[in-house]
Amino acid sequence: MVDEMNHAEMKEFHVGDVVTATVTEVKEKEAFANAGYKVDAVIPISELSSLHVEKVSDVLTEGEEREFKVIKVGDDELVLSLRAAIADKAWEELKQKYENDEIIEAEVKEVVKGGLVVDVGVRGFIPASLVERHYVEDFSDYKGRTLRMKIIEMDPEENKLILSQRAVLDEEVEAKKKELLESLQVGEIVTGTVQRLTDFGAFVDIGGVDGLVHISQMAHHRVETPADVVKEGDEIEVKILAVDQESERVSLSIKETLPDPWTTIEGKIKPGDVIEGEVKRLVSFGAFVEVAPGVEGLVHISQIANRHIGTPNEVLEEGQTVQAKVLDIHPSQERISLSIRALEETKTTDEKVEKESQPEEDHSGFSLGDMIGDQLKKYKK
């Protein structure tokens, strides 16, 4: 009678069923559970988790009730899997998160060759290249860290789940960049860090966005190479010239943050002054001479020499230091007229005057003293 009642109350099990069972015994490599079958079900240690488990007691305790998946059933045998039951639910949840592009969080359980392993109900793998935005040489201190990730690839049939923390970080950087671009104001002066130098300028990080300081905007004077003004890692002030949010381009200027050199020379250089400078450029109509940092004056071709010349380079060469006389100056118009010829003419005139002021020499062989002396001798006689 009892046997008949027990047989009547006994549940029917099929492979793939998910059942609730109570853990009755925990051993080192397996556990047993009462699922309502004629014998206690066996749960092998390999069926506890998608990751490696040292001992069963790390996962199950006697008396707890859990859901398991039937993986084998026979007359006197019932084998259950905790790992499979968890995985079924996990894949469903992961599929929804993948479709919704959601962020998932998980603790790093293992550091393996090529990346990191996490447990999200199933084994998830983060390739080394998808952990950070920068290169990481040693991942040993990542074990135990909780990471925020997005699903890059998933295949439940192959039990394959590829995750990326870098995807989350990239999106955050892009969002911050967009927010910063929207907040930037043309004419605003901000602080930035020089990231890299090129032949045509310097790229400066102004808080998440790289802006370009073109070589023409590096100083008031002509710059041969950006390295003459800044170096990588320098913290500098720059003025925002233009912002293009669509292309994410920002034009910056160092020059606009510096005092106008023409205002610094006002009142210090006057017509008639003789000043020294370096020949910066030779053009068909004259030479531009730098007389102060960022301030160039023009020596017209007619003012280069006191003789007729066809081109300025007959007399001058770039890089040469010369002296010139200031003929005219208009700082507000950024113009200085200079003359080298005027100094040559002055020098020639001075030499002529000096020559004319010298007493003429008597080439007869007699001096004035000799003549007077002879007369005195005659008088005494």
Side-chain angles (χ1 to χ4, degrees), residues 65-76:
E65 193 175 76
R66 300 287 291 269
E67 283 190 342
F68 301 90
K69 188 173 185 176
V70 177
I71 57 173
K72 187 176 181 181
V73 62
D75 288 341
D76 295 310

Side-chain angles (χ1 to χ4, degrees), residues 226-258:
D228 292 340
V229 180
V230 294
K231 63 179 184 295
E232 291 182 6
D234 281 355
E235 191 171 279
I236 58 174
E237 283 194 336
V238 289
K239 187 175 184 178
I240 299 171
L241 299 182
V243 179
D244 186 335
Q245 293 186 21
E246 288 188 9
S247 64
E248 297 185 352
R249 290 182 179 177
V250 181
S251 298
L252 305 171
S253 174
I254 298 173
K255 181 173 76 174
E256 292 292 322
T257 67
L258 304 173

